[in-house]
Amino acid sequence: MAEVLKVVPQEDLKLAEKSDGSLRSAHVLEHDPALDRRLLWKRDLVLIPIMGVLYMLLFLDRTNIANARALGIGSPTGLEGALGMPTNGYNIALVIFYIPFVLAEIPANLILNTNKVAPRYLLGGQMALLGVLGMCQGLTKSYGGLLAVRFLMGTFEASLPAGATYMISMYYTKREAAIRFSWFFNFALAGPFFSGLLAFAINNLEGVGGYQGWRWLFIIEGLMTVAISIPVVLFCPNFPQDAQKWFLKPEERNRVVAQLEASRGAETKGSAADSVSIWKVLIDWRIHLFTMCFFCCDITAASISAFSPTILTELGWTSTIAQLMAMPVWAVGIISSFGVTWLASRLNFRTPFVIGGICCQLVGWIIMRVYVPQAGVRYLALFFMSIGTFPQMPILMAWLSANLRGRKHLAVGMAWMVGFGNCANFVSSNVFIKTEAPRYVTGFTTGLVFTILGMVLVVFGCTLLVVKNKKREAIRSQMTDGEREAHDELYFKFVL
């Protein structure tokens, strides 16, 4: 029999008990497109900006070390010179952040899944702590202090991006999720986009208050994170079945939960999908296959975020101009991500768009690897890499989400994809060897190899899903109408 996930039959689906007793199961919802559009807009205008700004500031705090380094590269008062960092010190500072970040992702999401701590307190509180630690990066007096602060930052950031993606998965149907993940990831891309502009502006603060410009970059961005954590604590919604009345009225909440159940199966706490053992969730082949695809894609994203300011400086621009020249690279990533994910969502088909993105990545990496002498051509390669990489990430995230059922699967799957996928930063942080500048043979070769591997995994994964769907259809074709109806309530078809 095809390997598919069993879910609760629709007639057994129960929504969470509410005081008004107005609950209805998903299959008896009245047709009301105007109301559904209004509820979708309400979620879009509240949930996506909160989750998106949260992720933008996290991504900014995570990647601003690249801009801080570029501000004073080669200067004794720059980041590396002022802290007495060794030759590989910058690479170690990047790696030390991701060790606790990766290890704590799944436990943090499982804690969020228990709903014992409201999402607004868990996400907003950790965001405030992260902002304080971000400021400490600008106040540290030693290289060891920088490493200690970045290790703590990785610890407190662990639950935030995975928790945000989990919240989006819980609030949108399979069809709706793809474009919302795109909005979410584009908020993240806006972080380094504005970080370059901020770094350019902060360059004028060099020496103010006795602090170098790179210190002011950390301090100001840390203060921004603390400030934004306040509205997150005040306005971040709870899970759909417990949504606050100011956000969704009881009848609206019931309708949204019913729509989600109709799309994804019973995902309220206590459903059959959540009774599966955690070890079975951890070995689910779908989670690991899509995560490996995400990992290969994130090699390019991590390389762009960590080293593009340095590479642009080596193309001949001054450190301050290099900050500005990085901004168009992020801008085209945002535009392409919106356009491609919208089209993929509209057509409800993902595979060709992911493969097309990988082809663009390959063009960029090949140009970098063969080392075309003209700086303009190598600058163009960054655009190919950006256009190819950033649409893939929300599509892969939505693709995995659409092929999972139950809160436990979603909590673990989203955390594992974000957590293990970010292990790409371990690779990118160590393959761009300073002594190999400006050719970076190891770094460019590694990026090219993982991009090719990503192509192989996506093609294999799509083929596997097609085969399993055909097996399912073969079983259905041998059933009576009554058996087929019962079968369709118990099993779902994988989406491509």
Side-chain angles (χ1 to χ4, degrees), residues 5 7-8 13-16 113 166-174 239-241 256-274 400-411 492:
L5 179 64
V7 297
V8 181
L13 289 180
K14 302 291 184 182
L15 300 181
N113 179 52
Y166 179 40
M167 289 287 289
I168 294 173
S169 296
M170 292 298 296
Y171 262 99
Y172 292 97
T173 65
K174 293 184 296 181
F239 289 118
Q241 64 272 19
V256 168
V257 174
Q259 289 173 335
L260 294 171
E261 288 191 350
S263 169
R264 297 177 173 276
E267 290 180 354
T268 53
K269 189 176 179 181
S271 71
D274 276 326
L400 173 62
S401 174
N403 282 306
L404 296 178
R405 294 296 182 273
R407 290 181 57 167
K408 190 180 292 183
H409 270 89
L410 282 171
F492 71 90

Side-chain angles (χ1 to χ4, degrees), residues 2 9 31 73 96 149 261 287 357 394 459 473 492:
H31 183 65
I73 192 167
I96 197 70
V149 169
E261 288 191 350
I287 293 175
V459 173
E473 291 303 314
F492 71 90

